[in-house]
Amino acid sequence: MTPTRTAIEEVPRTQKRASALPPGERRSMIVQATLPLLLEHGEMVTTRQIADAAGIAEGTIFRVFADKDELIAAVLDAALDTAALEQALATVDASLPFEDRITASVEILQRRTVDIWRLVSSIGTKFHDSTRRPITDLNALVAMFEQHRDRLAVEPLVAARLLRAFTLSLTHPALIDEPMSPDEIVRFFFRGTAEEHRC
């Protein structure tokens, strides 16, 4: 059965040989081509499969990365980078009602949670140390709450952290059998942070 493609793996595969690229761009292209293969094959993916997906000669991989482990580590770094997540949150329609904006943000956070879990689950434990990093605040999420400060019983930064924590704990496959829907998470969230529920 072919796995469903997800937010972090929407990278087209090609069998066509790639034209010459600067080293940085070539590195990024190889990383992007490797991500869906890691999700499909785990760390057993071969450099031949990666080369075919990237449209390059197999030897090109080793002119950019010392070995396959270094490439896998680079894929993890790229997937765990929050820049794309910030961008996705920033594009949530600001004209939507507050609750709808939060629901849309939760959907993005849930996709991210599941995608990262799938990726980390696909690789061996020797890579797990490289996945441990401090959780940074999401500026786009904080900014959204700043715009609706009058609706909150807590500071916007606290609200953003709570929403992220609720979403993680009520979505992560290792923590819950069946993830809560975005609407349910938002209802749960508002019981603890909305001004109208303050005692």
Side-chain angles (χ1 to χ4, degrees):
M1 183 170 121
T2 303
T4 303
R5 303 191 86 194
T6 57
I8 63 170
E9 57 173 321
E10 288 296 331
V11 179
R13 300 188 195 183
T14 176
Q15 299 296 324
K16 212 174 155 185
R17 292 290 174 210
S19 57
L21 292 172
E25 289 181 33
R26 176 55 52 85
R27 179 184 176 89
S28 177
M29 182 265 294
I30 294 171
V31 165
Q32 290 177 346
T34 303
L35 177 53
L37 294 173
L38 269 184
L39 290 169
E40 186 176 346
H41 303 286
E43 63 181 299
M44 299 305 293
V45 64
T46 67
T47 51
R48 167 49 56 198
Q49 289 171 313
I50 294 168
D52 287 345
I56 57 176
E58 191 171 3
T60 302
I61 295 171
F62 301 106
R63 288 199 290 273
V64 182
F65 298 96
D67 53 30
K68 192 174 75 174
D69 283 358
E70 185 179 297
L71 170 54
I72 292 174
V75 172
L76 284 171
D77 282 342
L80 292 170
D81 188 289
T82 58
L85 177 58
E86 286 274 17
Q87 184 177 11
L89 290 168
T91 60
V92 172
D93 188 350
S95 69
L96 291 172
F98 183 35
E99 289 81 356
D100 292 343
R101 290 184 72 188
I102 296 177
T103 302
S105 298
V106 167
E107 289 173 355
I108 293 168
L109 292 171
Q110 284 192 299
R111 280 198 303 272
R112 163 85 173 186
T113 297
V114 173
D115 288 350
I116 296 299
W117 175 80
R118 284 185 61 209
L119 177 60
V120 173
S121 298
S122 74
I123 58 175
T125 55
K126 67 180 175 180
F127 295 102
H128 286 184
D129 280 347
S130 64
T131 67
R132 297 190 182 101
R133 56 196 66 196
I135 296 177
T136 57
D137 292 312
L138 296 171
N139 295 329
L141 205 56
V142 176
M144 180 187 71
F145 284 115
E146 286 279 5
Q147 294 167 9
H148 298 277
R149 182 185 284 265
D150 61 319
R151 296 286 307 277
L152 302 173
V154 297
E155 289 299 308
L157 178 61
V158 174
R161 289 174 176 175
L162 286 172
L163 182 66
R164 200 170 177 189
F166 287 162
T167 303
L168 174 66
S169 61
L170 297 171
T171 304
H172 199 293
L175 301 175
I176 189 168
D177 291 333
E178 186 67 31
M180 203 177 262
S181 73
D183 288 336
E184 290 173 319
I185 290 174
V186 171
R187 282 197 298 272
F188 179 52
F189 168 77
F190 265 101
R191 289 189 189 119
T193 62
E195 178 68 32
E196 54 263 36
H197 292 289
R198 180 188 274 173
C199 295

